[in-house]
Amino acid sequence: MASVSFRQGQGLACCGWRLSLRQVAGTLCLLLLPLLAGCQGDSIIAQVGGQSISMKRYYDTLENLTQADFSNAPDLQAGPLALLYLIREAATQQLAQQKGFIPSDDFIDRILEYQREKDPNLDDNIRRGLISESQLKKQLILLYEILTIGADTDHVDESQLKQMYAREKSQLDLPERFVVRMLLVKNEQDGIETLNRLKATGNFAAEAQRERDAPPFDGEEITVSAEQVKQQQPQLYEALEKLSPGQFADAPIPLKQPGAPTPLYVLVQLTHKMPAKSMSYEQVRPLLVEQYLQQAFPQYQQHFYQTLTEYLKGLLAQNKIVIYNQRYASIVLVHLNQLLNQPPPVSTPAPAQSVPTPPSIRGEYRVYRVPMHAPSQSVPTPQTPQSSAPPKSGP
C-alpha cells in the first residue's frame, strides 16, 4: 500500500510497526527443538559470567530477529546469532551492575509514561502484541546501560539539566493532537458510497475488509500531531479542525503521496482532540539526563565497545562463557573471538559502512541489540568532567 507521511521519517508508522521475522523464527524454533533437547538443565542454554540464559529468553530472541540483525553477521544462522546477541547483552548488564549504572524503576517508569503521553498509539501497539511493556522497559534499561558504560558515569549536573529544560521545553511539551479513524478508498465515487454506509452503520471493520485496507487506514483509532498534519496534509487539517467528536468529514479527503502525481482518498472520522500539554521538569528529567550524557561524552559508543570487548575477553579467558548446545558452542565462541580480536576500525570522513547511533530513549520502540561492531566514524573528543563538579546525582 502506498505510504502517506504525517511524521518526518516515519509516515504513519506510529501504529504500523515493522514486524520481525516472527513466523519464520517460530518455524525455526520447532525445527531446533530436537537439537536443544539435550541441553544441560533443560531450561538453560548458556551461562555468561555465572548468569544463566534461559531457553525462553533464547526463543524470544529468535522470534524477534530482524533482517537488520542478520546484516550485522551475515555468515551466521539464526540460532548462533541469537546466542551471540544474548551473550553480549548479559555481559552489558553485568558491567552496568558492577559500575552501579542501573537506572531506578522510577527513572524508567517516567520515560515510559512520557512515551505514552507523547504517542498514545503505544498502548494500541501493546494490545496488538507488537511490543510488551516489559520489553519496552528492558530496552530502555539496555540503552541507558550502554550510554552510562560508554560515558563511564551517570553523573549529571542538575543546574545544566535545568538550563536544557528551559531551552528545549517547547520541544518537550506535548502538542495538540487529533485522534482519528481513517479508511482508504479506491476513488472519490467509491468513497462517497462507502461514507454513506459508514454513517449508517459505523462498521469500519466491514468496510475495511471490503476495501482490503490495512493499518493505519483500516478504521482503527490513531493519533496524529495537529501541527504535522497542518504542514504535510493541509486539506486533512482543514477538515479535522471543523469537526466535532464523532463527526465524519463530508467527503473523501485527498492525501498527497510523496513523489506521486495522484493523491490517495481517505474517509475520516474525528474521535476527539487532545489539547497541548505542558511537561514539568521532573516529568522529562530522564530524557534530559540522556541528552546531557550524550553531549558531554560524544565518544561513548566507542568507549562502550572497548569496555565490553575487554570484559568479554576476560570471561573467555576464565572459561566463564558456557554454551550447552554442542552444535552451536564452537560456532558462537569462534565468531565471538573473531569479533573481540578484530582490529579497530579506521576512521574516515565518509565511511562506507558505519554503525548507526543507538535509538534515543525519547520514544523509539523497535528492538535494539548491543552493537556487534565498533563505530567506524570519527567523532569529536569528549569533554573532560570538571574536578569541581558537584556530588554525584544518579537517576
Side-chain angles (χ1 to χ4, degrees):
M1 179 181 293
S3 137
V4 177
S5 178
F6 284 90
R7 297 188 176 196
Q8 185 176 1
Q10 291 185 346
L12 279 170
C14 53
C15 63
W17 295 2
R18 293 184 179 90
L19 297 178
S20 67
L21 306 179
R22 183 173 298 275
Q23 292 180 330
V24 174
T27 303
L28 284 172
C29 289
L30 293 176
L31 295 175
L32 291 170
L33 278 173
L35 300 176
L36 299 173
C39 294
Q40 295 181 18
D42 292 330
S43 62
I44 304 300
I45 192 170
Q47 285 192 330
V48 180
Q51 176 182 338
S52 296
I53 296 176
S54 69
M55 292 293 293
K56 181 181 184 304
R57 182 78 181 106
Y58 170 70
Y59 285 136
D60 287 345
T61 303
L62 266 181
E63 290 183 0
N64 284 285
L65 289 176
T66 66
Q67 292 289 0
D69 295 323
F70 284 98
S71 67
N72 288 329
D75 53 334
L76 285 183
Q77 295 179 336
L81 180 61
L83 279 171
L84 193 58
Y85 276 126
L86 287 169
I87 289 168
R88 299 175 71 80
E89 184 176 319
T92 299
Q93 292 170 349
Q94 291 166 26
L95 272 172
Q97 289 171 351
Q98 290 178 10
K99 293 174 175 290
F101 295 157
I102 304 296
S104 68
D105 290 342
D106 178 67
F107 187 84
I108 296 300
D109 287 343
R110 273 187 283 167
I111 296 174
L112 190 54
E113 183 179 351
Y114 179 81
Q115 289 181 347
R116 278 194 153 109
E117 291 250 41
K118 188 81 171 177
D119 181 11
N121 298 300
L122 172 57
D123 283 327
D124 183 57
N125 284 316
I126 291 174
R127 285 192 297 272
R128 290 178 181 221
L130 300 180
I131 193 76
S132 70
E133 187 168 316
S134 63
Q135 287 174 322
L136 280 172
K137 289 185 176 182
K138 286 178 182 177
Q139 290 285 287
L140 293 171
I141 291 170
L142 179 61
L143 289 168
Y144 186 80
E145 288 172 348
I146 289 174
L147 175 57
T148 50
I149 292 169
D152 202 24
T153 183
D154 60 359
H155 169 80
V156 293
D157 184 328
E158 288 294 330
S159 64
Q160 291 193 31
L161 285 190
K162 290 179 179 177
Q163 291 175 18
M164 290 171 63
Y165 172 70
R167 289 195 306 268
E168 300 193 13
K169 189 175 185 306
S170 62
Q171 299 298 316
L172 294 167
D173 286 343
L174 303 179
E176 179 189 15
R177 288 154 291 168
F178 298 125
V179 182
V180 300
R181 296 178 184 271
M182 292 196 295
L183 196 69
L184 184 64
V185 292
K186 299 178 181 66
N187 49 52
E188 285 187 272
Q189 182 58 40
D190 174 57
I192 292 171
E193 295 171 1
T194 303
L195 179 60
N196 290 333
R197 290 195 300 269
L198 264 182
K199 286 182 176 180
T201 67
N203 193 338
F204 272 95
E207 297 302 332
Q209 187 174 11
R210 184 193 299 267
E211 299 288 344
R212 299 182 180 179
D213 287 341
F217 298 107
D218 63 347
E220 291 290 331
E221 283 190 354
I222 62 169
T223 304
V224 293
S225 162
E227 184 60 31
Q228 288 172 335
V229 172
K230 183 177 182 179
Q231 293 175 2
Q232 298 173 19
Q233 302 290 343
Q235 286 183 272
L236 176 60
Y237 176 81
E238 291 174 7
L240 290 172
E241 273 290 281
K242 300 173 183 176
L243 296 179
S244 299
Q247 280 189 324
F248 286 89
D250 291 335
I253 298 173
L255 299 183
K256 295 183 294 183
Q257 300 183 74
T262 58
L264 296 174
Y265 287 90
V266 293
L267 305 180
V268 178
Q269 181 188 40
L270 176 70
T271 300
H272 61 278
K273 295 179 182 179
M274 302 175 67
K277 182 178 179 180
S278 176
M279 303 302 291
S280 70
Y281 172 74
E282 286 301 324
Q283 286 174 307
V284 299
R285 182 183 176 278
L287 309 178
L288 298 171
V289 169
E290 176 210 9
Q291 184 172 332
Y292 174 92
L293 291 174
Q294 285 182 339
Q295 290 179 358
F297 304 95
Q299 283 183 320
Y300 77 90
Q301 291 181 74
Q302 287 89 338
H303 185 238
F304 164 76
Y305 191 87
Q306 293 166 3
T307 304
L308 179 65
T309 295
E310 292 305 313
Y311 183 71
L312 285 168
K313 284 182 177 179
L315 292 178
L316 283 172
Q318 301 172 61
N319 295 317
K320 289 187 175 181
I321 298 180
V322 182
I323 299 170
Y324 297 128
N325 180 287
Q326 297 306 310
R327 178 176 178 178
Y328 293 158
S330 60
I331 298 173
V332 174
L333 293 177
V334 166
H335 199 94
L336 182 59
N337 270 292
Q338 290 174 348
L339 281 173
L340 299 180
N341 292 290
Q342 66 184 5
V346 177
S347 297
T348 58
Q353 290 185 342
S354 61
V355 174
T357 302
S360 165
I361 63 175
R362 287 173 180 256
E364 298 193 20
Y365 314 122
R366 66 180 177 81
V367 174
Y368 176 67
R369 310 289 182 197
V370 176
M372 194 75 75
H373 303 281
S376 58
Q377 64 188 74
S378 58
V379 295
T381 303
Q383 301 175 16
T384 302
Q386 299 296 320
S387 58
S388 59
K392 173 179 173 179
S393 174

